[in-house]
C-alpha cells in the first residue's frame, strides 16, 4: 500500500467509527471546492496546489467529457464562462444552443471539442466581479484532465507526507449518456488505472443524479456521495436518507439543509446530521463561500457583495453540528475554523 493509501486508510477508519467508539473522533475533512477557487481560477493546477498549501484534505474536480471521450475538469460542459473560447475566432462556429437537464443553454460545449482542441484554451475566473484578485491569473493555465488532477494529488501527497484525496463529481451524466458519452464506466476505469478502486482509497465520487450513482456502485468499489440541493429537502428526510444509504456512503447536502438561515441568521441544526450518521452515512455539506453575496444577511460585513463576511461562523456551526466534512471555496478558512 503506497503512502497515500496507507495514510488515508488510517484516517478513514477513524472517521468511520461511531461517535461512541471514536476516541478521539477524527476531524472533519476539508474539501477544496474546485481547488482554492475563491483565490485562483477554478479547476486549475494552481487552484489545487494552493488548496493543498492551505491544508485541504481533498481536492474536487468536476468531470465532463470531450468529443473523443476524455474526462476533463470543468464546472460545466458549457465553457464560455471559465475559458477564453468565446474570443477564439477559430472556434466561433462551434457556438451552439442545447437543452441540458431541461435548461436551454447557449455557448460552447466540451463535447464538441477534442481533448487536443480543449488543451489550446486557457482558463479564467468565472466570477471576476466578485473575485478580481483571482481574475489576475486569467490565461495562465490550460484545462486539466482528470488523470492530471489525480497525478497532482499523488505528487502533493508525496511532497507533503499527508494523504491528499480527490473528490470527483460526475456532471450531467444522463445528458452525456444521451449524446453517446456515458461517464460512469470511464470514471470507474480511470480510478482502476490510478489504483483508486477501493473503499479505503482517498476518493469519493459524487453526483446530484441518483441512477448514475447506483450504476457506479456496480462498476467501482470507490465510495459514493449523493449530492442534494436546497430545493429538494425531501431527499434528506428520514426516509430519503434510508434510500441514500442503500447505494451511497455519504450525503452532500446544501449547507442550509444542515444549518437553516431563516430571518438572515444561523438557526439551530436540523436532524439531518444525526439521522444520517445513525445510518452510517458521511455528511459533507456544500459550499461555504466567504463573500457577502453567499452569506445570510446577519453574517455580511457590508453592502458590497464581493467583500468578505463571517463565513467562519457558518463553518463553526457546521462542525458543531457533527458533519464529517465540508466543501469550501476557501479551504484555508475551513481549516482554520476547524482548529
Amino acid at each position: 500500500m503506497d503512502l497515500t493509501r496507507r495514510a488515508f486508510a488510517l484516517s478513514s477508519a477513524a472517521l468511520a467509527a461511531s461517535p461512541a467508539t471514536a476516541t478521539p473522533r477524527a476531524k472533519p475533512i476539508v474539501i477544496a471546492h474546485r481547488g482554492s477557487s475563491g483565490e485562483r481560477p477554478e479547476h486549475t493546477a494552481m487552484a489545487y496546489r494552493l488548496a493543498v498549501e492551505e491544508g485541504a484534505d481533498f481536492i474536487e474536480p468536476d468531470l465532463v467529457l470531450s468529443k473523443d471521450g476524455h474526462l476533463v475538469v470543468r464546472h460545466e460542459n458549457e465553457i464560455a464562462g471559465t475559458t477564453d473560447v468565446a474570443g477564439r475566432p477559430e472556434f466561433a462556429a462551434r457556438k451552439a444552443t442545447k437543452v441540458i437537464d431541461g435548461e436551454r443553454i447557449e455557448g460552447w460545449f466540451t463535447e464538441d471539442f477534442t481533448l487536443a482542441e480543449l488543451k489550446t484554451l486557457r482558463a479564467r475566473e468565472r466570477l471576476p466581479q466578485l473575485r478580481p484578485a483571482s481574475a489576475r491569473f486569467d490565461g495562465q493555465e490550460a484545462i486539466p484532465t482528470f488523470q492530471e488532477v489525480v497525478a497532482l494529488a499523488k505528487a502533493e501527497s508525496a511532497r507533503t507526507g499527508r494523504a491528499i484525496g480527490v473528490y470527483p463529481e460526475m456532471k450531467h451524466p444522463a445528458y452525456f449518456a444521451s449524446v453517446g458519452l456515458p461517464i460512469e464506466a470511464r470514471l470507474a476505469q480511470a480510478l482502476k488505472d490510478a489504483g483508486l478502486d477501493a473503499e479505503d482509497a482517498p476518493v469519493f465520487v459524487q453526483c446530484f443524479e441518483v441512477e448514475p450513482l447506483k450504476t457506479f456502485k456496480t462498476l467501482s468499489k470507490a465510495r459514493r456521495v449523493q449530492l442534494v440541493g436546497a430545493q429538494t429537502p425531501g431527499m434528506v428526510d428520514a426516509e430519503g436518507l434510508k434510500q441514500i444509504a442503500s447505494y451511497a456512503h455519504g450525503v452532500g447536502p446544501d449547507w442550509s439543509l444542515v444549518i437553516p438561515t431563516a430571518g438572515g441568521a444561523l438557526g439551530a441544526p436540523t436532524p439531518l446530521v444525526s439521522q444520517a450518521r445513525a445510518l452510517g452515512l458521511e455528511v459533507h455539506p456544500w459550499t461555504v463561500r466567504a463573500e457577502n453575496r453567499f452569506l445570510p444577511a446577519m453574517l455580511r460585513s457590508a453592502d458590497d457583495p464581493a467583500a468578505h463576511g463571517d463565513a467562519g461562523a457558518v463553518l463553526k456551526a457546521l462542525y458543531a453540528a457533527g458533519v464529517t466534512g465540508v466543501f469550501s471555496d476557501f479551504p484555508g478558512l475551513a481549516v482554520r475554523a476547524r482548529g
Side-chain angles (χ1 to χ4, degrees), residues 93-147:
R94 306 280 178 95
K95 190 175 185 181
T97 300
K98 303 189 181 191
V99 177
I100 299 170
D101 295 347
E103 183 179 359
R104 186 177 176 86
I105 300 172
E106 183 180 49
W108 287 260
F109 300 84
T110 58
E111 65 270 22
D112 296 330
F113 294 78
T114 66
L115 177 60
E117 290 172 329
L118 289 171
K119 280 293 190 180
T120 70
L121 302 176
R122 289 297 175 266
R124 71 178 194 182
E125 171 56 47
R126 187 173 58 89
L127 302 170
Q129 293 182 325
L130 289 181
R131 296 169 174 174
S134 175
R136 298 191 187 107
F137 296 92
D138 284 1
Q140 295 188 20
E141 296 207 10
I143 296 174
T145 64
F146 178 55
Q147 288 84 352

Side-chain angles (χ1 to χ4, degrees), residues 47-205:
Y48 292 130
R49 291 194 178 98
L50 179 58
V52 173
E53 287 297 322
E54 293 178 337
D57 303 296
F58 281 77
I59 54 178
E60 188 225 19
D62 291 332
L63 302 182
V64 294
L65 286 158
S66 68
K67 183 178 182 179
D68 45 351
H70 293 276
L71 294 167
V72 294
V73 181
R74 288 290 88 188
H75 173 49
E76 296 289 347
N77 54 326
E78 199 293 303
I79 52 175
T82 60
T83 75
D84 61 353
V85 67
R88 301 288 288 272
E90 68 270 35
F91 297 132
R94 306 280 178 95
K95 190 175 185 181
T97 300
K98 303 189 181 191
V99 177
I100 299 170
D101 295 347
E103 183 179 359
R104 186 177 176 86
I105 300 172
E106 183 180 49
W108 287 260
F109 300 84
T110 58
E111 65 270 22
D112 296 330
F113 294 78
T114 66
L115 177 60
E117 290 172 329
L118 289 171
K119 280 293 190 180
T120 70
L121 302 176
R122 289 297 175 266
R124 71 178 194 182
E125 171 56 47
R126 187 173 58 89
L127 302 170
Q129 293 182 325
L130 289 181
R131 296 169 174 174
S134 175
R136 298 191 187 107
F137 296 92
D138 284 1
Q140 295 188 20
E141 296 207 10
I143 296 174
T145 64
F146 178 55
Q147 288 84 352
E148 289 169 340
V149 174
V150 171
L152 184 152
K154 289 186 174 183
E156 289 297 289
S157 296
R159 183 183 68 82
T160 63
R162 60 188 183 88
I164 307 300
V166 290
Y167 207 123
E169 179 182 350
M170 297 187 290
K171 302 290 291 195
H172 309 298
Y175 166 78
F176 276 112
S178 76
V179 297
L181 291 168
I183 192 171
E184 297 94 327
R186 286 176 169 88
L187 177 54
Q189 187 60 53
L191 294 179
K192 288 181 174 72
D193 293 344
L196 297 175
D197 182 31
E199 194 169 329
D200 67 346
V203 60
F204 289 94
V205 173

Side-chain angles (χ1 to χ4, degrees), residues 25 258 270-278 281 283 318 321-324:
R25 185 182 177 199
V258 176
T270 68
L272 191 160
V273 175
S274 60
Q275 290 176 343
R277 296 298 288 141
L281 290 168
V283 185
L318 290 169
V323 302
T324 58

